[in-house]
Every structure is written in structure tokens, then in C-alpha cells.
Amino acid sequence: MPSVTQIRVRYKDTDTMSVVYYGNYLTYFEVARVEYLRERRLPMSIVDKRIHMPVVEAFVKYVKPARLDDLLEVSSRVSERKRASFTFSYEIRNEAGELVATGFTRHACWDPSTSKMIPLPDWLKEIMPDADLTPTDR
């Protein structure tokens, strides 16, 4: 199941035209990703002790500008799992339900104790059920 997180656009997130600065969409993705994990009883304070999940690829498609004080809904879901990586996909919509942006982040699995790449641990697979994956990704 996707996770939905609400984010209010703050003044610091905008440029001189009161439009969200393009790089901040990746921050919104991160907030949604962390909430996805928290909803599954894995706050980042726990996850980070067990595994690091560096972003190895990111993509944002900008559809419509978000503006100062907009209340955004950021949907996040796991859209792909591989042996040692996984992908989160995101959709951002404004209060009118209009699509603002879409994108994804791909993450590797890194063992902080050995500083080596590792396969996706079973405990992490458990919170990324097949129901979250599109039929072609299963």
C-alpha cells in the first residue's frame, strides 16, 4: 500500500516567485519515504543502525508548480525490488488534486558495520510487500 504524507510549502522552500525551488522536490520525496518506513514501524533511527540506504539514482518530472503555502500530498510506494536495491516511486498532488510532480529514487543496501553492499535483508523485504509492486515488477 502506498503511504501518503502531507507537506505544507514553507517560505524557505520557494524562490523569488514563491514557487517551490526544483531541488526541494527531492526533500519532499525523502520526507515521504521516511514516513513510509515509520508507518511500518521502522523509524529511520532504527533502520539507520541496521542498514544504510544511499540514493544511487533520482528522477523528478515537474508537471505543475507548487507554491508558497500549498498543502501537498506526497504518495510513496516501493515500485521495484532487486537483489541489493529497491526503488521508491512518488506522486505529489496539490489541494485541488492536480498532479504537481512524479519521480523515483533508487537505493542500494549498505551494511554500516562492514562498509559493503549487501543483498536486501529479509526484514526490509517484509515491509515492501508484493502488493506494492506493479505486475511487471513482481
Side-chain angles (χ1 to χ4, degrees), residues 72-117:
L72 304 176
E73 280 196 353
V74 186
S75 298
S76 60
R77 67 182 187 90
V78 176
S79 58
E80 181 179 60
R81 287 189 318 223
K82 293 188 176 183
R83 189 184 71 75
S85 68
F86 55 95
T87 302
F88 271 92
S89 293
Y90 310 92
E91 271 192 2
I92 300 177
R93 294 186 178 273
N94 61 22
E95 289 177 275
E98 299 167 319
L99 187 62
V100 170
T102 62
F104 69 85
T105 54
R106 184 162 293 119
H107 303 264
C109 298
W110 182 266
D111 186 331
S113 63
T114 64
S115 296
K116 295 187 179 193
M117 300 297 292

Side-chain angles (χ1 to χ4, degrees), residues 12-134:
K12 75 174 212 66
D13 294 343
T14 62
D15 60 19
T16 58
M17 298 178 293
S18 295
V19 172
V20 172
Y21 177 72
Y22 74 93
N24 286 321
Y25 289 90
L26 291 171
T27 300
Y28 297 165
F29 290 174
E30 179 183 8
V31 170
R33 181 172 64 249
V34 168
E35 289 305 314
Y36 177 98
L37 294 169
R38 184 185 321 281
E39 287 175 7
R40 285 148 181 85
R41 295 183 171 80
L42 282 172
M44 280 306 297
S45 57
I46 292 173
V47 172
D48 205 39
K49 292 175 185 172
R50 299 174 76 181
I51 190 173
H52 290 177
M53 305 180 305
V55 174
V56 296
E57 185 178 3
F59 173 80
V60 183
K61 179 179 180 182
Y62 306 97
V63 178
K64 182 181 183 77
R67 299 185 181 280
L68 179 62
D69 287 330
D70 282 355
L71 183 61
L72 304 176
E73 280 196 353
V74 186
S75 298
S76 60
R77 67 182 187 90
V78 176
S79 58
E80 181 179 60
R81 287 189 318 223
K82 293 188 176 183
R83 189 184 71 75
S85 68
F86 55 95
T87 302
F88 271 92
S89 293
Y90 310 92
E91 271 192 2
I92 300 177
R93 294 186 178 273
N94 61 22
E95 289 177 275
E98 299 167 319
L99 187 62
V100 170
T102 62
F104 69 85
T105 54
R106 184 162 293 119
H107 303 264
C109 298
W110 182 266
D111 186 331
S113 63
T114 64
S115 296
K116 295 187 179 193
M117 300 297 292
I118 59 170
L120 190 62
D122 289 339
W123 61 267
L124 196 52
K125 286 180 190 175
E126 287 175 15
I127 66 159
M128 300 175 178
D130 288 344
D132 258 9
L133 305 176
T134 58

